[in-house]
Amino acid sequence: MSLQNKAALVTGSSKGLGKAVALRFASRGADVAINYSRDRTAADETPDRATACGVRAICVQADVSDVAGIEALFQTTLEAFGTIDIVVANAGIEKVNIPVVDITEDDYDLLFRVNTKGPFFVLRAAARHIADGGRIINMASSSTVRPQPGLGLYGTSKTAPKYLVRVLAQELGHRKVTVNSLLPGPIDGSGIFTGVSDADPYKKALLDTVPIGRLATAEDVADVAEFLAGDQSFFITGEEILMNGGSSN
């Protein structure tokens, strides 16, 4: 799939899932804006790998829970590339295995600031700045449709942006802009499973629920993000694509 002559902005793309998606877009010919919050060292390596694909890449620091920072991120991307054709609202924070009775107000404020407020205003900025015919992807979570003990706060914080996606799909349809949510399950080698072996009890328990026999990888998710970012997905909008290998959890 070619994304040549496109420009993509992926939030939280200096590492993990966001990095895999941004580099996949670059490998298909898209210029990419790499966003990071704090770790500049990790962030610097990603644009270097993107430019090795023969595209332009920039690295932009921005806290996506700060509305002014989001606007600056979009403006910097527009100044660099002249257009924004693809936006992936990926940045988020995981805080799991906490029973609801143990959740503190600070826990709540943190996750809703990053996982709910952040995507809301990233999606708002995308709606304002994306080119006609563009693609907007919200990175949600399988926990929003597969409730589990210990995921009450995390799953709740990831639920609201999915509703906004469905609204934006209707509001932006006349511009031929599609808006969809991806709902990955736990990602092997990323997030809370960075460096975690299959022998880990929590990971093993999850593996036992997946008929396919393994967790998703960042590359699996990049496969579907690539499809949603391309021309072939034109008639898919306002949808939620669950990627959990058929897990019963």
Side-chain angles (χ1 to χ4, degrees):
M1 182 180 295
S2 174
L3 297 177
Q4 289 186 343
N5 302 316
K6 304 290 187 182
L9 189 166
V10 183
T11 65
S13 48
S14 65
K15 55 187 176 182
L17 183 55
K19 178 179 180 178
V21 171
L23 290 177
R24 176 64 64 82
F25 290 169
S27 74
R28 299 300 185 260
D31 298 325
V32 290
I34 308 299
N35 161 245
Y36 72 101
S37 178
R38 290 179 296 275
D39 190 352
R40 179 65 194 234
T41 301
D44 282 340
E45 184 259 349
T46 308
D48 290 343
R49 289 184 57 184
T51 55
C53 298
V55 302
R56 295 177 292 172
I58 60 173
C59 189
V60 187
Q61 190 278 332
D63 178 353
V64 297
S65 67
D66 176 72
V67 176
I70 292 169
E71 190 60 30
L73 171 61
F74 275 78
Q75 289 300 328
T76 300
T77 304
L78 284 169
E79 290 167 7
F81 303 143
T83 185
I84 299 176
D85 305 287
I86 304 162
V87 174
V88 181
N90 168 74
I93 187 171
E94 289 179 282
K95 200 174 183 70
V96 299
N97 295 329
I98 306 174
V100 172
V101 293
D102 294 331
I103 293 168
T104 68
E105 185 176 5
D106 286 343
D107 293 333
Y108 178 96
D109 288 344
L110 173 62
L111 263 70
F112 270 75
R113 178 169 59 82
V114 178
N115 292 349
T116 309
K117 178 184 177 182
F120 185 97
F121 285 100
V122 168
L123 293 171
R124 185 189 73 166
R128 289 177 170 178
H129 298 297
I130 200 162
D132 289 354
R135 302 285 184 265
I136 301 173
I137 303 168
N138 168 55
M139 203 64 72
S141 166
S142 65
S143 64
T144 62
V145 294
R146 294 286 189 273
Q148 299 175 51
L151 295 180
L153 176 58
Y154 177 70
T156 302
S157 73
K158 298 288 282 187
T159 296
K162 296 194 310 175
Y163 179 85
L164 181 61
V165 160
R166 291 184 176 273
V167 172
L168 284 177
Q170 297 183 47
E171 294 183 352
L172 301 179
H174 69 284
R175 293 176 50 203
K176 307 300 186 287
V177 173
T178 67
V179 194
N180 292 287
S181 289
L182 263 178
L183 283 62
I187 305 299
D188 203 0
S190 183
I192 62 172
F193 289 114
T194 301
V196 177
S197 76
D198 289 353
D200 175 82
Y202 179 57
K203 185 175 180 181
K204 187 177 185 305
L206 285 174
L207 285 168
D208 289 342
T209 73
V210 184
I212 287 179
R214 66 169 177 84
L215 301 183
T217 67
E219 292 301 317
D220 291 329
V221 181
D223 287 339
V224 183
E226 176 187 343
F227 169 70
L228 290 177
D231 293 339
Q232 289 92 330
S233 64
F234 170 72
F235 219 65
I236 299 174
T237 192
E239 293 300 325
E240 300 175 5
I241 300 178
L242 179 64
M243 293 188 61
N244 71 345
S247 173
S248 56
N249 283 338

